[in-house]
Amino acid sequence: MDLVIRGARVIDGSGGASYRADVGITAGRITDVSRDQRLTGARVLDADGLALSPGFIDMHAHSDLALLRDPDHSAKAAQGVTLEVLGQDGLSYAPVDDRTLAAVRTAITGWNGGAPGDTTVDFDWRSVGEYLDRLDRGIAVNAAYLVPQGTVRMHAVGWDDRPATPRQLDRMRQLVAEGLEQGAVGMSSGLTYTPGMYADDAELTELCRVVASYDGYYCPHHRSYGAGALEAYAEMVELTRNAGCALHLAHATMNFGVNKGRAPDLLALLDAALADGADISLDTYPYTPGCTTLVAMLPSWAGEGGPDAVLARLRDDATAERIRHHLEVVGADGCHGVPIEWDTIEVSGVSDPGLAGCVGKTIAAAAAQRGEAPWTTARRLLINDRLGSTILQHVGHEENVRAIMRHRVHTGGSDGILQGYKPHPRAYGTFPHYLGHYARELGVLSLEETVAHLTSRPAARLRLPDRGLVREGYRADLVLFDPATVAAGSTFDAPRTLPVGIPHVLIDGRFVIEDGKRTSVLAGRSVRRTAGRR
């Protein structure tokens, strides 16, 4: 064997009891798992005191450009992540044409960087297949991709808030089908983000039927996580059942004051649908604050026409006042139908380095320092940063976080935005935080069950037959961690701190992290849907 991991506590991803074993690896695959026989190999790694598990699968990642821009990518590799799912929230960089690419780069600069004029990434692809081919040149960790419905709508319809014509709907069906043919695992939506939010349920159902025909899944950021959250969840359950499509609920939280203590209501809704035969899963991050862009808070009508139209509306005093009224009084759909509380909105990143003094302050605090109204501060920031500012939104509830992570269809997703001077610590800490804080310290889940949530359950959703378990014949995507010390190093004050207690991470049997340090290995590749159309 190429490598023998000797005497590890094997937490195999099934959720069953751990056991002590030697694990042998040859040519990138697990070739032996022996509880009673001492294995030998070209190299032997003594794993006494360490747990061995499958590599963690990040079901909700925003590393679409980071994987290309940063070969090191320790933010994820050091956590034990061996596979990320990209193309989230309905907005990403394929499929596009030249016009669409420029618009989407501007729209999600706050998530990924890559604004027009940024030359750190060569956007030399246009189709989903070409993007996946680009990943195959060598990346830090593996990556799967979701066709982004908002980008597809932008491509076929534009930024207008109107129903698609039959011809435009046919074009969207074609783009989704092509993306799935080329290897995407499903489709995502961002139904509080323009222009994807302009699609009605009939349009989404038609696209989900295409996804279902390829045995993919639909991953919506649904229409509200605040006021009307339960109704929004129920809408997605009903829509996908009508389409015959599997459903994976993105960052399935119950946020804002209106949803405090209401996680059991969500879980009851899901349990009823599961009992009736629905195919549903979800992901969450183990923190209470959310993270997005400041422009995402605006009402949907303010986003019609694209980024340049948004900036024009913000510069017009009368229109800006109308936006303020929707945000502060009505409750904009971009802010999930809840009147915005500026003391919960913390600036976490800016595109313009000259605005770095805003980072780490809430809009309310920054406004107070200037002696002005919060909206005045927010408006100035949006204009001067050309919509590129990211925020933390402190509106979550710990009891909801814990209740949802216990559910049997739960998986882990960081929703990690790596941009900004002060990113959310979930980008660097989600997976060790599950293991250290929620499993070891709080006992919300056993360590074995926690690992199952982070490995075999997401692998099953992605329909990967040879990942997510420590089994003979499976790919050697593996993590060795110390159950007694594993913990997130990242905090809200120091969010880019790497975790502790994860000395080794392997992808295809090659060390990506060795003795706690990042190697130069780029073992990651695209993970593509391979089944044919039904």
Side-chain angles (χ1 to χ4, degrees):
M1 299 177 194
D2 298 334
L3 172 67
V4 170
I5 300 173
R6 177 161 292 159
R9 175 187 170 186
V10 176
I11 304 176
D12 66 8
S14 69
S18 60
Y19 53 88
R20 189 176 177 88
D22 286 6
V23 175
I25 298 168
T26 304
R29 294 199 177 256
I30 299 169
T31 49
D32 205 338
V33 180
S34 177
R35 303 191 195 199
D36 51 18
Q37 181 180 356
R38 189 177 178 87
L39 303 180
T40 59
R43 177 179 176 182
V44 176
L45 176 64
D46 183 0
D48 184 43
L50 297 178
L52 174 68
S53 81
F56 305 134
I57 298 176
D58 188 342
M59 287 296 288
H60 193 104
H62 288 284
S63 302
D64 307 47
L65 299 184
L67 277 166
L68 301 176
R69 184 173 50 236
D70 175 22
D72 180 81
H73 203 50
S74 287
K76 294 300 181 65
Q79 294 185 60
V81 171
T82 58
L83 170 60
E84 299 182 277
V85 184
L86 313 176
Q88 300 288 349
D89 295 329
L91 289 166
S92 191
Y93 306 96
V96 292
D97 55 19
D98 292 348
R99 172 187 55 84
T100 305
L101 178 60
V104 78
R105 287 179 66 177
T106 299
I108 53 175
T109 296
W111 290 356
N112 298 316
D118 182 344
T119 59
T120 56
V121 173
D122 180 8
F123 288 83
D124 59 352
W125 67 86
R126 293 298 181 267
S127 71
V128 169
E130 289 168 348
Y131 175 70
L132 297 178
D133 288 344
R134 177 68 181 276
L135 298 179
D136 283 340
R137 298 181 197 173
I139 48 179
V141 304
N142 297 311
Y145 189 74
L146 295 165
V147 179
Q149 171 260 329
T151 302
V152 166
R153 194 174 213 274
M154 192 188 312
H155 196 298
V157 182
W159 289 87
D160 296 333
D161 183 3
R162 59 179 174 83
T165 66
R167 183 175 180 179
Q168 289 167 339
L169 182 55
D170 283 344
R171 178 59 175 149
M172 286 189 280
R173 287 194 195 97
Q174 179 187 14
L175 289 168
V176 172
E178 288 174 353
L180 291 160
E181 289 275 4
Q182 294 164 10
V185 295
M187 181 180 76
S188 75
S189 282
L191 299 180
T192 65
Y193 300 128
T194 56
M197 69 192 304
Y198 299 144
D200 61 19
D201 284 2
E203 179 180 313
L204 295 171
T205 299
E206 287 302 309
L207 299 182
C208 282
R209 289 194 173 113
V210 176
V211 175
S213 73
Y214 285 91
D215 208 21
Y217 70 92
Y218 181 43
C219 180
H221 164 124
H222 53 270
R223 297 192 192 275
S224 176
Y225 289 82
L230 282 177
E231 292 80 2
Y233 282 112
E235 175 191 7
M236 295 298 101
V237 170
E238 184 66 17
L239 186 155
T240 49
R241 293 188 68 178
N242 289 339
C245 185
L247 172 64
H248 180 84
L249 295 165
H251 40 58
T253 57
M254 292 289 285
N255 287 341
F256 301 91
V258 294
N259 290 316
K260 184 176 175 63
R262 298 193 69 193
D265 297 338
L266 167 60
L267 301 180
L269 169 68
L270 299 182
D271 284 337
L274 289 163
D276 203 28
D279 183 358
I280 301 174
S281 56
L282 58 86
D283 65 68
T284 68
Y285 46 84
Y287 299 87
T288 53
C291 180
T292 187
T293 57
L294 182 57
V295 67
M297 298 291 101
L298 303 187
S300 57
W301 59 261
E304 190 172 4
D308 289 340
V310 176
L311 287 166
R313 291 186 182 102
L314 287 166
R315 293 187 181 106
D316 179 76
D317 289 342
T319 309
E321 172 57 22
R322 186 179 167 210
I323 293 172
R324 182 205 65 79
H325 180 76
H326 273 256
L327 279 169
E328 297 183 350
V329 180
V330 177
D333 46 7
C335 194
H336 307 278
V338 177
I340 199 163
E341 298 173 325
W342 293 113
D343 60 352
T344 69
I345 306 296
E346 177 186 355
V347 180
S348 60
V350 290
S351 295
D352 181 352
L355 299 171
C358 300
V359 174
K361 299 174 184 175
T362 67
I363 295 293
Q369 285 184 342
R370 298 179 65 94
E372 62 189 17
W375 169 240
T376 303
T377 299
R379 179 189 177 193
R380 180 187 301 108
L381 183 59
L382 285 163
I383 293 171
N384 291 350
D385 206 27
R386 293 194 58 81
L387 314 181
S389 306
T390 53
I391 60 168
L392 303 182
Q393 194 169 18
H394 296 270
V395 292
H397 306 287
E398 180 66 21
E399 67 272 31
N400 287 347
V401 170
R402 297 187 192 186
I404 294 169
M405 74 170 63
R406 291 188 184 101
H407 197 272
R408 58 193 170 93
V409 301
H410 168 267
T411 67
S414 70
D415 198 8
I417 294 174
L418 298 166
Q419 283 294 111
Y421 294 87
K422 192 174 180 285
H424 196 302
R426 67 193 185 192
Y428 284 72
T430 285
F431 295 87
H433 200 49
Y434 268 120
L435 299 170
H437 184 61
Y438 283 95
R440 182 183 65 240
E441 296 175 2
L442 298 180
V444 173
L445 295 166
S446 70
L447 191 57
E448 289 83 356
E449 187 64 13
T450 302
V451 168
H453 284 232
L454 307 180
T455 58
S456 64
R457 293 187 187 178
R461 166 50 70 219
L462 295 168
R463 307 197 192 288
L464 302 177
D466 59 355
R467 300 177 197 264
L469 292 168
V470 180
R471 290 281 191 279
E472 292 177 7
Y474 275 59
R475 290 183 179 273
D477 294 354
L478 300 167
V479 180
L480 282 152
F481 64 91
D482 183 348
T485 63
V486 62
S490 58
T491 64
F492 286 98
D493 290 330
R496 296 187 186 275
T497 307
L498 296 179
V500 297
I502 304 179
H504 304 292
V505 181
L506 297 92
I507 295 178
D508 272 355
R510 302 168 66 191
F511 284 91
V512 175
I513 300 291
E514 187 172 12
D515 294 324
K517 297 180 181 178
R518 179 72 172 92
T519 71
S520 61
V521 168
L522 295 175
R525 298 294 185 271
S526 68
V527 174
R528 308 192 190 206
R529 188 203 61 81
T530 56
R533 188 165 188 171
R534 291 198 306 221

